[in-house]
Structures are given as structure tokens and as C-alpha cells.
Amino acid sequence: MEFDNNIPIYMQVVENIKKEIVKGNIKLGDKLLSTRDMALEYKINPNTASRIYKELEQQKICFTKRGLGTFITEDKEMVKMLRDNMASKLLEVFLQGMEDLGYTKEELINIIETKYKESDLND
Amino acid sequence: MEFDNNIPIYMQVVENIKKEIVKGNIKLGDKLLSTRDMALEYKINPNTASRIYKELEQQKICFTKRGLGTFITEDKEMVKMLRDNMASKLLEVFLQGMEDLGYTKEELINIIETKYKESDLND
Amino acid sequence: MEFDNNIPIYMQVVENIKKEIVKGNIKLGDKLLSTRDMALEYKINPNTASRIYKELEQQKICFTKRGLGTFITEDKEMVKMLRDNMASKLLEVFLQGMEDLGYTKEELINIIETKYKESDLND
Amino acid sequence: MEFDNNIPIYMQVVENIKKEIVKGNIKLGDKLLSTRDMALEYKINPNTASRIYKELEQQKICFTKRGLGTFITEDKEMVKMLRDNMASKLLEVFLQGMEDLGYTKEELINIIETKYKESDLND
DNA sequence: GTGGTCTAGACCACT
DNA sequence: GTGGTCTAGACCACC
């Protein structure tokens, strides 16, 4: 995983894990890597790894069982919420940003459709 | 202007000025506020204001005439480039993010159209 | 290190570091002094030291690992480029300057050879 | 004339005038432009123009006759001195710089000869 | 410990 | 008045 130098590493990993949950690659109740293993996996400092779990716990995405490790919450609503929240945040940033640049709705839809045609050609 | 505490002030102002240029509120060749005036305007330190101009200069968006002040470049291509770059960056973040969340093209277009109908109703 | 009062300190240190890299005294991947240590070393303000690293980063000569320090880039081409660029800049200033003064090629070569004989005698 | 933003304009013009004297385009005893005309000629501020004369006077290159204008000194030695000083300064900066970059005498002579062959081909 | 940012205040050269 | 540089000292997030 490549890190953007301007965003805290732990934040980037947190977002990455949330994405994996939404995509279903990590499932409800799954045990997460130990901080040590996560540090190896992402090539980060163990302190940073433990901060990631702290953040995930705060967001009620996982919880810790003493001596057993850290697990994804069992709450089924969570995934749905996660997906919706992340998507609407993305959407808002995008639409607001484009509006700030003076793009009209028509231009905007045009751009997205063009983009899609391009990627269709590449498929 | 309100600042997001997680992003450097100078970056936020830089982005703001770039938006104003793209929107046409600031025109090619325009003189920008003096660092001191900008400091007053945005309620920041003159040093921070100075940093903003340095960043804009690096991005070839403005240039300095010694003792006279800082001016928007006269290069007509610049605005076009700026608009395109900022838009494609927004687009990329958005599309990539939605794809990462597992949204298909159809879902995505659907969401945007829904969003637009909402805002049309509010107009 | 003694500073020329007419050139910004940070620029002088930047050039100095670039020279050390070209000479091989600083190697690819080397960790540079921390900003605080550099400030002590050169007897400058930590802010000024920080500016030096920022400038070097812009020139793609070094990069920062968050919380770890600043390192020389690993790019092997960089040193070659650096040496070539610095040399050709020196050469250009010199040749253009001498030409402006009305020196012909023959005079110029003559001068350099004379200079070399002098220094050979001193060796 | 194009100005380098990092060097005072008046210095650049002073150097330019000195070059013109060395090249013989401006002769001993010649009357220089009035500050106003010089300001127009170089598209600079009249204050800057007057500073140029101040500097040239300090360097004993010209002198002012009240009500008549500013004139190049009649001292014949001056041109010779000027040429020698400017050339040896150029030479020193060049040789020292190349030495700092680790260029040996052989490399250096090689580079200059190569450069000359190039420009010969272009002649 | 590391760099990044910001404030405050000062001095300077240039126009 | 204009930007450029520097010092001093502070706070912060990150590793």
C-alpha cells in the first residue's frame, strides 16, 4: 500500500480497512491481524498500527476481546451505514467541488459519461 | 473564510484563490492583495500570507514584481489547465472511491441522477 | 560555514548540500540531520533549517518519512543530473559573461591555460 | 532587457552598462541617458534609474555635471580595469564552482572544447 | 524524536 | 508600501 504523505498513515489504513469491510473482503465478526502483524503487513510502526485499532474502535467498527485480539463488530447495520456514509461523503465532496469550479449539471453529467465510454473501450 | 483545522491554512487559501480564478472572479493580470492586507482579510499572520503567494508562484499561477506586488499570470492557458486539473482530480477521487466501495456504474449514475432530482425539486 | 550576506542562508545551505551529494560525501538514501540538529550545526533557526529541506524536497533531492526524518532520494539518476545541471549552469554563465565582455575563444582558452600553469606551479 | 527576479534590477542594469563600456558600445566621456529616459528605455521605475547612477558613481565609472547630466569617466585605465576585474571574477567563480563539483582539470578542458566544437558547428 | 504549521515581530532591499 | 528573509518560540501529529 502506498501512502499519501499529507494524510496520517493511520487514517489511510483505517479508510482502507473500512473499504475492505464494505467490499466484503473482511466480514462481520472476523478477527483482525494483531498490531504486530498489521505493522509487518503494512510496513508501518507498531505504534501506528495500535492507533489504527484505537480509531476503528472509536468508530464502533471493531472491538477488543482481552487476550484474544480485535474483532469486527457483529452489527449488521454497520456495513450498510458505512457504505452509505462513505458514498455520500464522496458524492458531496465531488458535487460541491465541481459546483465551486463552475461546472453546470449538464457539463458534469457529460464528463462522467465520457469517462465511462473511455473506460468501456478499455475493458 | 472558515478554516478546516486539519488542513494547513495556506493550502486552504491557495485552493480558494484557485477556485476564484477558475470562476472568473479573479482575472488574468489582476493584482492580488498585499501580504499584509491578505493577512488582515483572512485574519492570519503575514508570514502565512507570504507562504500562500510562494505556493501560488510555484504552481505558476502568479508572479511577483519586486516592490510592486503579486499578480496573476497573464498566461491564458493557465485557467483552462487549472479548471481541467482540478476537475479531473475531483473526478478521479470520486470514481475511484465509489469503485472501491463496490458501486457499479449503474448504481453510481443512478445516485447522481437521484441527487439532481432532489436539488431540482429544491430549486 | 560562512554565509554571504547577499544570498539567502537557506539557498546557500541548499547549494552546499547539493555539492556534497555531487562530491559523494552524502550518499543516496542517507538520512540528513534533523532540522533541529542542522539548526545547531549551521547556527541557524530551526525554521530556516526546515526551509532548506522543503527546498530540497521540491528539487526532488530528498524526501521525508513522517516522524523519521529526511532522506536523500534513492534515484541514481539524480546525482548525475545534479552534477550535469550545476556544471552546465556554471559553464553557461561563464561563457556568456566572457562573450559579453568581448573575449574571443582564443583569448578565453589562453586565460584558462595560463591560470592552470599558475596553479600547477603552486602544486 | 529581461530581469532576473532574484537580483536587484539596478544591479543588473549596472552590470549591463559596464558590459557595454567594456565592449566599446559606450565610450569614455559619453553622456548617459537622463534618469527619466533610462527609466523609459529599461521600463523601470525612475527611482531605480537614479539608483543605478548612484551605484555607477560610487564605482567611479561615471560622474555627474550639475545641470548637464551624467557622463562616463575619461579615465582610460578604467575600461581596462573593468574588463580585467569582471573577467577574473567570472573565471574565479567558474573554476571554484567546477572544482567544488569535483571536476578535474582534464574534464573541465574537455567540456569547454566540446562546447566550442558544438558552437562552431552552429556557426 | 521527527517534521509541519503558525504566530509574532523584526530587518532589509526594492519600487 | 511591497515581498523576502530570519529569529524566536509555540503547538501539533506522527513514528
Side-chain angles (χ1 to χ4, degrees), chain C residues 94-111, chain D residues 22-23 79-88 90 116:
Chain C
F94 176 61
L95 292 183
Q96 186 60 51
M98 295 303 274
E99 194 184 317
D100 285 352
L101 292 179
Y103 281 82
T104 63
K105 298 176 187 180
E106 289 71 25
E107 278 181 297
L108 200 153
I109 287 178
N110 218 329
I111 287 172
Chain D
V22 169
K23 286 204 274 188
V79 179
K80 202 174 170 309
M81 292 268 294
L82 216 52
R83 187 169 138 120
D84 288 353
N85 286 346
M86 291 174 83
S88 61
L90 277 169
Y116 271 152

Side-chain angles (χ1 to χ4, degrees), chain C residues 12-25:
Chain C
Q12 295 179 58
V13 177
V14 161
E15 290 306 311
N16 189 43
I17 290 176
K18 283 161 73 175
K19 278 183 192 165
E20 293 300 316
I21 294 173
V22 169
K23 285 203 274 188
N25 296 339

Side-chain angles (χ1 to χ4, degrees), chain C residues 13 17 33-42 44 49 52-53:
Chain C
V13 177
I17 290 176
L33 293 174
S34 79
T35 51
R36 288 152 175 81
D37 287 347
M38 166 168 280
L40 293 174
E41 169 92 3
Y42 285 101
I44 57 179
I52 290 164
Y53 286 153

Side-chain angles (χ1 to χ4, degrees), chain D residues 31-35 57 63-71:
Chain D
K31 181 177 183 309
L32 291 169
L33 295 173
S34 72
T35 53
E57 269 182 73
F63 64 96
T64 298
K65 282 187 197 164
R66 273 181 178 257
L68 292 179
T70 304
F71 300 83

Side-chain angles (χ1 to χ4, degrees), chain C residues 3-113:
Chain C
F3 295 116
D4 175 342
N5 237 333
N6 300 312
I7 305 171
I9 291 178
Y10 78 92
M11 274 298 187
Q12 295 179 58
V13 177
V14 161
E15 290 306 311
N16 189 43
I17 290 176
K18 283 161 73 175
K19 278 183 192 165
E20 293 300 316
I21 294 173
V22 169
K23 285 203 274 188
N25 296 339
I26 302 179
K27 297 206 169 44
L28 297 186
D30 275 7
K31 182 180 182 312
L32 293 169
L33 293 174
S34 79
T35 51
R36 288 152 175 81
D37 287 347
M38 166 168 280
L40 293 174
E41 169 92 3
Y42 285 101
K43 290 177 190 154
I44 57 179
N45 185 288
N47 267 325
T48 308
S50 175
R51 193 162 184 181
I52 290 164
Y53 286 153
K54 210 163 183 187
E55 181 68 25
L56 285 170
E57 247 179 282
Q58 259 170 24
Q59 298 189 22
K60 307 235 174 169
I61 288 165
C62 65
F63 64 97
T64 294
K65 281 188 197 161
R66 321 166 123 276
L68 294 178
T70 303
F71 301 81
I72 303 292
T73 176
E74 304 276 1
D75 178 5
K76 287 173 188 167
E77 281 301 296
M78 185 270 287
V79 178
K80 205 174 166 310
M81 293 270 293
L82 213 54
R83 189 171 136 116
D84 288 353
N85 287 346
M86 291 173 83
S88 61
K89 198 173 165 187
L90 278 169
L91 189 62
E92 195 202 317
V93 168
F94 176 61
L95 292 183
Q96 186 60 51
M98 295 303 274
E99 194 184 317
D100 285 352
L101 292 179
Y103 281 82
T104 63
K105 298 176 187 180
E106 289 71 25
E107 278 181 297
L108 200 153
I109 287 178
N110 218 329
I111 287 172
I112 292 183
E113 284 178 349

Side-chain angles (χ1 to χ4, degrees), chain D residues 3-109:
Chain D
F3 296 114
D4 177 339
N5 235 335
N6 300 312
I7 305 170
I9 288 179
Y10 79 91
M11 274 296 192
Q12 296 180 57
V13 177
V14 162
E15 289 305 309
N16 190 45
I17 290 176
K18 284 160 73 175
K19 278 183 194 165
E20 294 299 319
I21 294 173
V22 169
K23 286 204 274 188
N25 296 339
I26 302 179
K27 297 204 167 47
L28 298 187
D30 274 7
K31 181 177 183 309
L32 291 169
L33 295 173
S34 72
T35 53
R36 178 170 307 198
D37 288 345
M38 167 168 281
L40 292 173
E41 169 90 3
Y42 284 101
K43 288 179 191 156
I44 58 180
N45 189 297
N47 285 325
T48 308
S50 87
R51 188 154 189 180
I52 289 165
Y53 286 143
K54 216 162 143 189
E55 182 69 22
L56 285 170
E57 269 182 73
Q58 258 183 5
Q59 297 189 22
K60 310 236 175 172
I61 287 163
C62 65
F63 64 96
T64 298
K65 282 187 197 164
R66 273 181 178 257
L68 292 179
T70 304
F71 300 83
I72 303 292
T73 175
E74 303 277 1
D75 178 4
K76 288 173 188 167
E77 279 303 295
M78 186 270 285
V79 179
K80 202 174 170 309
M81 292 268 294
L82 216 52
R83 187 169 138 120
D84 288 353
N85 286 346
M86 291 174 83
S88 61
K89 197 173 164 189
L90 277 169
L91 188 63
E92 195 203 319
V93 168
F94 176 62
L95 292 182
Q96 186 59 53
M98 295 302 275
E99 194 183 317
D100 284 352
L101 291 181
Y103 280 83
T104 64
K105 297 176 189 179
E106 290 71 26
E107 277 181 295
L108 198 152
I109 286 176

